[in-house]
Amino acid sequence: MNDLHSPSESVPTLPETETVRHPRAPLRYVVRELLETAIFILLVFLIVRSVVQNFKIEGSSMEPTLHTGQYILVNKLIYFHFDLNAPLRLLPGQSDLPPRIVYPFRPPQRGDIIVFEYPRDVRRDYIKRVIGLPGDVIEILEGKVYVNGVLLDEPYLRGAFTYCLGGYPCAQGPVTVPPNSIFVMGDNRGNSSDSREWDALPLDRVIGQAWLIYYPFSDWGLVPHHRYNTTTVATP
């Protein structure tokens, strides 16, 4: 049976002149809420910024893979690392202890496209492809790149050749990548300032791995990294 009030029942009502008042929130309460919101937004921003960062590509050194004017997101977490020996160097007599770097995820690999601080001017950021890892021997002969005696298959070059100018270290013969460094080159080998010119890149200058092209929308997609086939050994 429906529970309804009949017209004859008396239903209590508020007098027409009576109003309900809510207490006004103190000013300090409003200020505290605003501060808490601002701090929360700042923390979220800092957390996201420590993992992903956006960059705009300027220049043609990564043509035809990446183009000037594109906006990309860079994964900064993937190359996160720390020095296990850093705390030990604070102890007496241990200041010369060599670094012992640990990568919880993974270090840069050959074929990765990375963003880094330009070693000759750390205020500028560059984007290149990793060609050689610590200890690798890089040699450029007749327009081709060899790593540890292996001819690299570089389809992203689309048939372009790789050369070293007369004053570059790689023009004098094989170059060995130093410890804690990598050898990087742009995909546009004829128009790229890279390790051929200014030598190997210290790993502590690496910002992160190029991850996603998000603008222009017509180019949206993952940045195309490459994995080299090292099963075929060629004699330079």
Side-chain angles (χ1 to χ4, degrees), residues 78-233:
I78 190 171
Y79 300 146
F80 169 74
H81 61 279
F82 53 89
D83 184 0
L84 286 178
N85 286 342
L88 299 179
R89 282 195 288 273
L90 300 176
L91 300 177
Q94 300 295 321
S95 58
D96 295 332
L97 201 63
R100 186 182 172 191
I101 306 300
V102 173
Y103 285 83
F105 303 105
R106 70 171 180 84
Q109 298 179 357
R110 295 187 197 93
D112 284 357
I113 297 176
I114 64 170
V115 173
F116 57 92
E117 298 171 338
Y118 177 43
R120 292 184 175 178
D121 184 357
V122 296
R123 296 170 299 178
R124 302 170 63 187
D125 299 321
Y126 275 19
I127 182 168
K128 308 291 178 185
R129 190 183 297 273
V130 178
I131 300 298
L133 303 178
D136 282 349
V137 178
I138 311 296
E139 189 167 16
I140 299 174
L141 290 173
E142 299 180 353
K144 302 293 184 181
V145 179
Y146 297 82
V147 178
N148 302 325
V150 177
L151 174 62
L152 290 189
D153 177 26
E154 301 187 273
Y156 45 81
L157 298 183
R158 299 184 183 178
F161 292 102
T162 302
Y163 295 105
C164 281
L165 296 182
Y168 292 175
C170 56
Q172 311 307 317
V175 175
T176 300
V177 184
N180 301 314
S181 302
I182 52 179
F183 196 96
V184 298
M185 286 194 280
D187 289 356
N188 185 359
R189 299 288 163 80
N191 187 25
S192 175
S193 174
D194 50 43
S195 290
R196 293 172 296 171
E197 175 187 351
W198 37 260
D199 214 345
L201 171 72
L203 279 168
D204 60 5
R205 295 298 181 193
V206 177
I207 296 173
Q209 181 192 59
W211 172 44
L212 179 73
I213 304 167
Y214 69 91
Y215 187 84
F217 300 123
S218 58
D219 296 339
W220 191 94
L222 295 176
V223 173
H225 304 283
H226 184 70
R227 292 295 170 261
Y228 302 108
N229 180 7
T230 58
T231 59
T232 302
V233 178

